[in-house]
Amino acid sequence: LAETREGYSNLCKLITYSRIGGDRRDPRLDPKHLPSPPGGLVLLTGCRKGRVPSLLANEKGMEAEAEARNYLEWYGPDNVFIELQQNLVQGDTGRNRRLVELARDLDVGIVATNNVHYHERARHRLQDCLVAIHSRKSLEQSHRERRANAELYLKTPERMARLFREVPESIANTMVIADR
C-alpha cells in the first residue's frame, strides 16, 4: 500500500519490474528491484495465494517464517502486516490461525482484509459469467476458474468484525493503516 507520494512512486516501479520479470497473469519481482529502503510503503502478506499464506497452508512453516523475516528486513517491522482473510473457503480458518501464530512469533501486526471481487453478494453470478467469458469457456466448463462461493463481496465493518471476532486487533489495525 502506498502511504506517501514517494511510496506511490516506489509502488509503480515495483509493479513495472514485476511485469518485466513475469507476465500479466504471473508477475514476478526479483528482490534486487526493491528500493533501499522502500520508503512510503506498507506491505501486506497477501491473500491465500500470497507467498507466506500459501507456504503455511502447505505445511512449510520454516519457509513462511523466513519469507516474513525477509519482508521485515526489507520494509521494517512497522511497515509489515500479516494479512488475514476469511472468505469461508476451506482452509481459511486453519491458515488464519497459523498466520496469527507467525505474527505473534515475529511480533508483527495482523490486519483483516477482504478479497473483494464484486460490491455486493448478489453480483457473484455476474462475476462467474465474466470469468467464463475471460477464460473463453461456458459456465459449466469454467468451474475451476470461478470463485468458490459468493463471499468475495465488499463486506460491512460489522460483518468483518464478526468474522474476525477472535482477533479484534486485526480489525483495529485496518484503521491504523488507513490513518497512516
Side-chain angles (χ1 to χ4, degrees):
L1 303 173
E3 175 175 39
T4 63
R5 187 177 211 75
E6 175 195 14
Y8 184 74
S9 175
N10 284 332
L11 182 60
C12 289
K13 290 174 188 172
L14 293 174
I15 291 169
T16 299
Y17 290 135
S18 71
R19 298 287 190 214
I20 292 168
D23 62 41
R24 184 174 175 273
R25 291 183 178 262
D26 190 27
R28 299 285 175 180
L29 179 65
D30 188 324
K32 73 179 181 184
H33 294 298
L34 286 171
S36 183
L41 291 174
V42 174
L43 181 129
L44 306 181
T45 55
C47 68
R48 66 185 175 93
K49 293 182 180 180
R51 183 100 171 110
V52 170
S54 63
L55 285 168
L56 281 177
N58 291 313
E59 304 296 328
K60 296 181 179 177
M62 300 285 281
E63 289 177 51
E65 182 177 337
E67 189 72 14
R69 287 187 187 281
N70 285 336
Y71 297 161
L72 292 168
E73 182 181 321
W74 294 331
Y75 289 86
D78 294 336
N79 299 316
V80 175
F81 289 83
I82 301 291
E83 188 171 350
L84 308 177
Q85 291 188 353
Q86 181 54 273
N87 298 304
L88 305 176
V89 175
Q90 183 178 2
D92 280 356
T93 302
R95 183 178 47 259
N96 283 341
R97 284 188 184 123
R98 290 189 292 278
L99 285 165
V100 169
E101 288 173 16
L102 176 64
R104 292 192 173 135
D105 289 347
L106 297 176
D107 194 30
V108 64
I110 55 175
V111 64
T113 67
N114 193 25
N115 195 356
V116 177
H117 289 264
Y118 32 90
H119 70 290
E120 59 186 36
R121 176 182 260 135
R123 294 295 181 142
H124 81 278
R125 295 285 185 221
L126 176 59
Q127 172 72 13
D128 287 350
C129 292
L130 292 172
V131 169
I133 290 167
H134 179 76
S135 60
R136 297 181 178 175
K137 296 179 178 179
S138 69
L139 277 171
E140 188 175 301
Q141 293 169 326
S142 66
H143 186 72
R144 287 183 183 221
E145 289 88 357
R146 295 190 337 243
R147 306 295 170 190
N149 61 29
E151 290 295 317
L152 299 169
Y153 66 97
L154 185 60
K155 294 179 178 73
T156 64
E158 297 78 23
R159 177 74 173 135
M160 291 294 287
R162 281 193 307 272
L163 287 169
F164 293 95
R165 65 185 166 271
E166 292 180 19
V167 281
E169 66 269 29
S170 69
I171 297 294
N173 280 336
T174 63
M175 292 310 301
V176 168
I177 294 169
D179 289 342
R180 287 175 60 178

